[in-house]
Amino acid sequence: MQREAEVMTRRTAVSPVITHDGEAAIRLTHVNGRLRIETVFRRSSRGWKRSDYQLFQDGERRLATASWEEYDALLERLSADASQPAVLPVLTPLAEQDPLPMEILQNLEQCERRLAGREDIAVCVGRDDKGRYVIAISSSKASLHMAFETQRRSGRKGVCFASTNSIRVVTAEGKDLTEEVQGKLTKALTRLMAEPPGTSTAEAGSGSAQGPQGGGPSDRKGTVLRL
């Protein structure tokens, strides 16, 4: 339990609160912005064992993230105030003479070809505050951002879909639909993009998402990550 508290503090710079629920249970409560982690340890014949783990957003339970990277990405997407509308990051425009990686050019060309004739949709490319390339597809109803990060493949410098927050969808009214449409969106992007999400993951090296880590987020089956 103490190790888990230390990991939470190290990963988020926020220390959890430890409370005793009677003599048989100890609760770890970690509040970080709009997210809250509740972990309960109960006494067993072999000592204190974790018996429950939950993640809450704005007080409502949600599916636990599979890794600290996913947790960080979720926290990054959330505005400080739940009543405030969601917004996509402002992109730094690229100059016409700026060279683009081949993968960006291919995907940009594919998007423009697939969306040709749609005067209500605009496609552009820029960089976000992390320096990642972002292809933005915008309409009067919603905007879609696809982020790419630099990688080296077979000795050549290129880009692949970002390991965190690679895709975001926000409506004109400020509602974040990213998680709601993720599955459908991936299928649609397979038809739209020259290199859809997931196709270059195996070769992404350090750019790929890291595996589960203990002291916080859980995997998709509800099994708590171990230290």
Side-chain angles (χ1 to χ4, degrees), residues 12-89:
T12 66
V14 178
S15 300
V17 175
I18 301 176
T19 55
H20 291 261
D21 294 350
E23 297 182 356
I26 298 178
R27 181 179 301 271
L28 215 66
T29 303
H30 182 269
V31 179
N32 191 10
R34 293 165 56 189
L35 299 180
R36 186 177 87 250
I37 293 173
E38 295 278 353
T39 308
V40 176
F41 293 82
R42 297 189 183 280
R43 193 188 298 275
S44 70
S45 58
R46 296 184 178 182
W48 292 96
K49 298 293 183 181
R50 189 194 327 231
S51 66
D52 193 21
Y53 175 92
Q54 298 180 49
L55 174 66
F56 297 86
Q57 177 181 324
D58 300 326
E60 296 184 5
R61 186 174 180 177
R62 58 164 294 146
L63 186 66
T65 54
S67 68
W68 277 110
E69 284 68 31
E70 289 188 14
Y71 175 87
D72 293 340
L74 172 61
L75 187 66
E76 180 185 335
R77 290 202 305 267
L78 298 176
S79 59
D81 187 347
S83 64
Q84 295 296 316
V87 294
L88 290 170

Side-chain angles (χ1 to χ4, degrees), residues 16 25 33 38 63 70 75 91 97 102 107 114 129-130 134-135 144 152-153 167 210 213 221:
E38 295 278 353
L63 186 66
E70 289 188 14
L75 187 66
L91 302 180
Q97 66 271 20
M102 180 181 65
N107 282 301
R114 293 283 188 178
D129 56 1
K130 295 182 178 179
V134 176
I135 294 179
L144 162 68
R152 285 195 175 274
R153 188 189 301 178
I167 299 174
Q210 297 181 15
Q213 300 180 22
K221 297 179 181 179

Side-chain angles (χ1 to χ4, degrees), residues 190-202:
T190 301
R191 300 190 298 270
L192 182 65
M193 307 294 289
E195 190 174 3
T199 55
S200 60
T201 305

Side-chain angles (χ1 to χ4, degrees), residues 95-221:
E96 293 184 3
Q97 66 271 20
D98 287 347
L100 291 173
M102 180 181 65
E103 293 88 350
I104 296 295
L105 290 172
Q106 289 176 338
N107 282 301
L108 195 58
E109 180 183 358
Q110 183 88 342
C111 285
E112 292 173 342
R113 184 167 61 247
R114 293 283 188 178
L115 298 171
R118 294 289 302 272
E119 296 182 357
D120 59 321
I121 297 179
V123 180
C124 67
V125 61
R127 286 184 181 271
D128 62 12
D129 56 1
K130 295 182 178 179
R132 305 181 301 182
Y133 288 101
V134 176
I135 294 179
I137 303 177
S138 304
S139 73
S140 59
K141 295 182 178 180
S143 294
L144 162 68
H145 276 193
M146 294 172 286
F148 300 77
E149 58 193 11
T150 303
Q151 66 160 352
R152 285 195 175 274
R153 188 189 301 178
S154 302
R156 181 183 65 83
K157 186 176 181 180
V159 298
C160 65
F161 268 87
S163 56
T164 59
N165 285 338
S166 58
I167 299 174
R168 287 198 62 192
V169 181
V170 174
T171 68
E173 292 77 26
K175 184 176 181 180
D176 194 323
L177 299 181
T178 303
E179 294 188 21
E180 296 180 28
V181 303
Q182 188 70 51
K184 297 178 181 178
L185 187 60
T186 299
K187 294 180 181 179
L189 290 176
T190 301
R191 300 190 298 270
L192 182 65
M193 307 294 289
E195 190 174 3
T199 55
S200 60
T201 305
E203 298 177 312
S206 60
S208 61
Q210 297 181 15
Q213 300 180 22
S218 166
D219 68 16
R220 296 301 183 188
K221 297 179 181 179

